[in-house]
Amino acid sequence: MKNRFLLLGIALVALTSCKTSSLHVNNVQPHQNISINSELKNDEEIANIIIPYKEKLDKEMNQKISSTLVDLTKQGDNSNLGNLLADYTFDGADIWAKTNLKKDVDAALINIGGIRTTIGKGDITLKNVFEVMPFENEVIIIKMKGSDLDGLFEYYARHKVNNPVSHLYLETDHEQIVKTLVNGKEVDRNKEYYIATSDYLALGGDNMKFFLKGEAIPTGIKLRELFIEYFKKNSNINPSEDIRLNFKNKK
């Protein structure tokens, strides 16, 4: 009998401990949302602290580093801005490779999506380059077998995308590859090639999985810094309108 009362007591304690206590909200005071617009006044003390830094930044960003005789755009399969930046990528990577690898870079490839805007005819400022390339991408050199370049050309033939290239030529007809050249020569499938690109694409970005077959060699060069350097070297930009991606009968 004693055990029965003991079990009953344990059951009552268990039931009591499982009981959920209710929450009661005693007071709710709604607050009005603050709209962030032109009517919202600036904090003058904070503004006075910021002004000198903003003026310094504006002065630096608005400095002229070059000029262009034409509008630099990213439209079309062989856009003049795309070709120009691909050439700058090739040139910078080639100098680095000659010094550090004792090799020549064979070609360069960048993605059109990484070029965020265009540059109008006239002066080119530092701000323009930051707007064109706002990312901290690094130049990577991919060491690839000639046979693995099939994937690169097949990618372009399949997607018909206008990702800019330098020292590369691809011709297709009805999505079939007709002609491929690297540095003006047909691909030697047994040769090793050095292709300059960005770290984003080197890791397979934009579905460029073919780069993953190669060996990625970091250069430490930032694409934006490279572009700034080459714009400063060329005071008057007048890009050539050569055909690098030739998609015939493109659907």
Side-chain angles (χ1 to χ4, degrees), residues 207-225:
N207 207 31
M208 294 193 184
K209 305 298 184 184
F210 52 84
F211 275 138
L212 300 177
K213 293 183 177 181
E215 176 189 348
I217 305 170
T219 66
I221 301 170
K222 298 296 184 182
L223 272 172
R224 183 175 59 231
E225 293 174 5

Side-chain angles (χ1 to χ4, degrees), residues 89-99 103-106 141 196:
T89 303
F90 175 91
D91 293 341
D94 190 48
I95 291 173
W96 186 92
K98 281 180 168 64
T99 302
K103 297 288 184 180
D104 296 327
V105 166
D106 296 288
I141 297 173

